[in-house]
Amino acid sequence: GEDVEQSLFLSVREGDSSVINCTYTDSSSTYLYWYKQEPGAGLQLLTYIFSNMDMKQDQRLTVLLNKKDKHLSLRIADTQTGDSAIYFCAVLSSNTGKLIFGQGTTLQVKP
Amino acid sequence: DAEITQSPRHKITETGRQVTLACHQTWNHNNMFWYRQDLGHGLRLIHYSYGVHDTNKGEVSDGYSVSRSNTEDLPLTLESAASSQTSVYFCASSDTNTGELFFGEGSRLTVL
């Protein structure tokens, strides 16, 4: 079945760049998303990319998509302590219409 | 502003009791979803609905049921709560065009 994989934990120093990676198996994916979850809260959409795009930039966020390798990454420039959260990769399958989530990557930002 | 709300936010219950978690959205979205979030598993889909009177099973639907009698609400019922159903439950609704999910704040359920 469809699967989305992420590493579980990433620790960086404040001011450094963070790169969170995600791999997926569904080649029919149309939209790919990054969600952020702060403690005790629901998920909020950070950004998304269409499957026909390679890159999308939005202020400090850069999303890179390698369709051939089914690899998605989220780069956060100048990471701040407020960026500490769990980041979820999610993939929308055009076959099933369902959004499949990865396990989430906990980003820890050290001062 | 349109929103999606869940209630209760926290609930403690006993094994074997019936529990219903409410979800109400004012986005007028046709698509609604229930997920559970557990450490090491991320978000797993329980049930979903693409419109009034439509309900479908997700990957972890055993022990759960939903009903969709109107566009705004998708209540999730645990017929006989089990300790394995201790989790945080998220309701979401989606925009049909982009697939973007809008999440509620979550309901933390503890089954003793």
Side-chain angles (χ1 to χ4, degrees):
Chain A
E2 301 145 349
D3 196 22
V4 178
E5 295 282 338
Q6 299 176 240
S7 54
L8 295 181
F9 187 77
L10 176 65
S11 180
V12 300
R13 293 242 173 245
E14 192 174 17
D16 289 349
S17 291
S18 307
V19 179
I20 302 172
N21 294 302
C22 171
T23 58
Y24 59 97
T25 58
D26 184 4
S27 57
S28 72
S29 304
T30 52
Y31 292 85
L32 302 100
Y33 306 83
W34 285 104
Y35 280 84
K36 177 182 180 181
Q37 184 184 30
E38 296 184 352
L43 280 71
Q44 288 188 307
L45 181 66
L46 272 183
T47 185
Y48 65 91
I49 189 168
F50 300 122
S51 58
N52 62 358
M53 296 169 64
D54 297 325
M55 185 182 87
K56 181 178 179 182
Q57 188 148 4
D58 183 2
Q59 300 183 337
R60 292 190 298 120
L61 304 179
T62 303
V63 179
L64 294 177
L65 175 61
N66 182 329
K67 280 194 72 177
K68 175 175 170 292
D69 294 338
K70 299 191 184 75
H71 182 268
L72 183 73
S73 67
L74 174 69
R75 179 177 181 270
I76 305 173
D78 188 24
T79 313
Q80 303 298 306
T81 54
D83 295 324
S84 293
I86 303 175
Y87 291 81
F88 289 91
C89 170
V91 173
L92 181 66
S93 169
S94 62
N95 288 338
T96 65
K98 292 186 207 173
L99 198 59
I100 308 298
F101 284 85
Q103 310 96 310
T105 300
T106 298
L107 176 64
Q108 179 189 65
V109 183
K110 296 179 181 177
Chain B
D1 285 344
E3 59 180 4
I4 181 165
T5 54
Q6 294 182 230
S7 63
R9 294 291 314 278
H10 301 271
K11 179 147 181 91
I12 301 174
T13 192
E14 295 176 338
T15 302
R17 290 196 181 265
Q18 183 182 78
V19 176
T20 296
L21 305 179
C23 176
H24 179 82
Q25 54 100 2
T26 59
W27 294 95
N28 201 35
H29 287 156
N30 284 324
N31 304 340
M32 295 185 73
F33 307 81
W34 273 104
Y35 290 88
R36 60 178 287 176
Q37 183 179 22
D38 304 286
L39 199 62
H41 291 279
L43 283 138
R44 292 182 291 176
L45 184 62
I46 305 171
H47 280 286
Y48 58 103
S49 168
Y50 289 147
V52 177
H53 301 311
D54 175 73
T55 60
N56 305 280
K57 293 181 179 180
E59 60 180 308
V60 290
S61 61
D62 287 349
Y64 303 95
S65 63
V66 293
S67 60
R68 189 87 181 273
S69 58
N70 58 52
T71 300
E72 295 80 19
D73 299 288
L74 186 72
L76 177 72
T77 297
L78 288 69
E79 300 293 343
S80 177
S83 57
S84 60
Q85 294 177 307
T86 293
S87 186
V88 180
Y89 292 86
F90 287 98
C91 180
S93 67
S94 76
D95 180 291
T96 306
N97 293 326
T98 67
E100 178 184 352
L101 280 179
F102 296 84
F103 282 86
E105 292 294 303
S107 295
R108 182 175 293 276
L109 177 67
T110 302
V111 183
L112 300 176

